[in-house]
């Protein structure tokens, strides 16, 4: 058994050494030819030999290993920062929507009222309503440009 294994190993290694170089040339009839010895007196090209794909398809590339330069803590911090940025953007969009709704309410309803600190309902005057409209427009201009 041991002798068979050694003979098989040497046989495989020698076959790989023999088929290490291939050459391609075109013969006199214009037919491409291939061989392990280059032709004499003709131009030829050296052919790069790669292993054939396994039956059923090509081998898949292995997944790239994470780079050693990247610090897992930095990656985690950048992911957390991205999530925080997304949350802040969502909150800003929600506030802009609310601000547009408030502006529409201020512009379309001339008779508005609010509850003061004492719990009493008081009516908002026209001057104050115009100030609130101007403030809402300015806020929309500065915070909600899209």
């Amino acid at each position: 058994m041991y002798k068979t294994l050694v003979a098989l190993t040497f046989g495989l290694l020698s076959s790989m050494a023999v088929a290490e170089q291939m050459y391609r040339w075109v013969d006199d009839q214009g037919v491409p030819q291939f061989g392990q010895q280059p032709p004499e007196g003709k131009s030829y090209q050296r052919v790069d030999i790669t292993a054939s794909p396994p039956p059923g398809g090509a081998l898949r590339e292995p997944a790239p290993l994470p780079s050693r330069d990247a610090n897992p803590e930095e990656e985690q911090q950048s992911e957390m920062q991205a999530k925080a940025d997304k949350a802040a953007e969502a909150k800003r969009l929600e506030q802009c929507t609310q601000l547009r709704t408030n502006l529409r309410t201020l512009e379309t309803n001339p008779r508005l009222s609010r509850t003061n600190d004492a719990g009493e309902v008081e009516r908002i005057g026209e001057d104050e309503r115009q100030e609130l409209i101007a403030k809402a427009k300015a806020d929309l201009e500065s915070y909600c440009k899209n």
Side-chain angles (χ1 to χ4, degrees), residues 4-43:
T4 307
L5 184 61
V6 170
L8 183 62
T9 303
F10 282 127
L12 288 174
L13 289 176
S14 65
S15 68
M16 288 184 352
V18 169
E20 197 168 280
Q21 293 199 5
M22 289 288 287
Y23 299 94
R24 178 186 186 275
W25 68 93
V26 179
D27 65 4
D28 296 333
Q29 287 82 24
V31 178
Q33 300 289 324
F34 295 91
Q36 292 178 345
Q37 297 294 325
E40 304 231 1
K42 293 190 177 196
S43 64

Side-chain angles (χ1 to χ4, degrees), residues 79-96:
E79 288 175 10
M80 289 176 58
Q81 182 65 34
K83 287 180 183 179
D85 291 345
K86 270 184 148 179
E89 180 65 17
K91 184 176 181 181
R92 187 187 70 81
L93 290 174
E94 183 180 326
Q95 289 174 344
C96 288

Side-chain angles (χ1 to χ4, degrees), residues 80-121:
M80 289 176 58
Q81 182 65 34
K83 287 180 183 179
D85 291 345
K86 270 184 148 179
E89 180 65 17
K91 184 176 181 181
R92 187 187 70 81
L93 290 174
E94 183 180 326
Q95 289 174 344
C96 288
T97 302
Q98 184 63 43
L99 193 56
R100 287 185 186 99
T101 303
N102 291 348
L103 178 62
R104 195 173 321 114
T105 300
L106 286 168
E107 289 176 336
T108 58
N109 297 324
R111 299 186 69 185
L112 297 172
S113 59
R114 66 172 164 224
T115 305
N116 62 14
D117 294 335
E120 300 170 345
V121 177

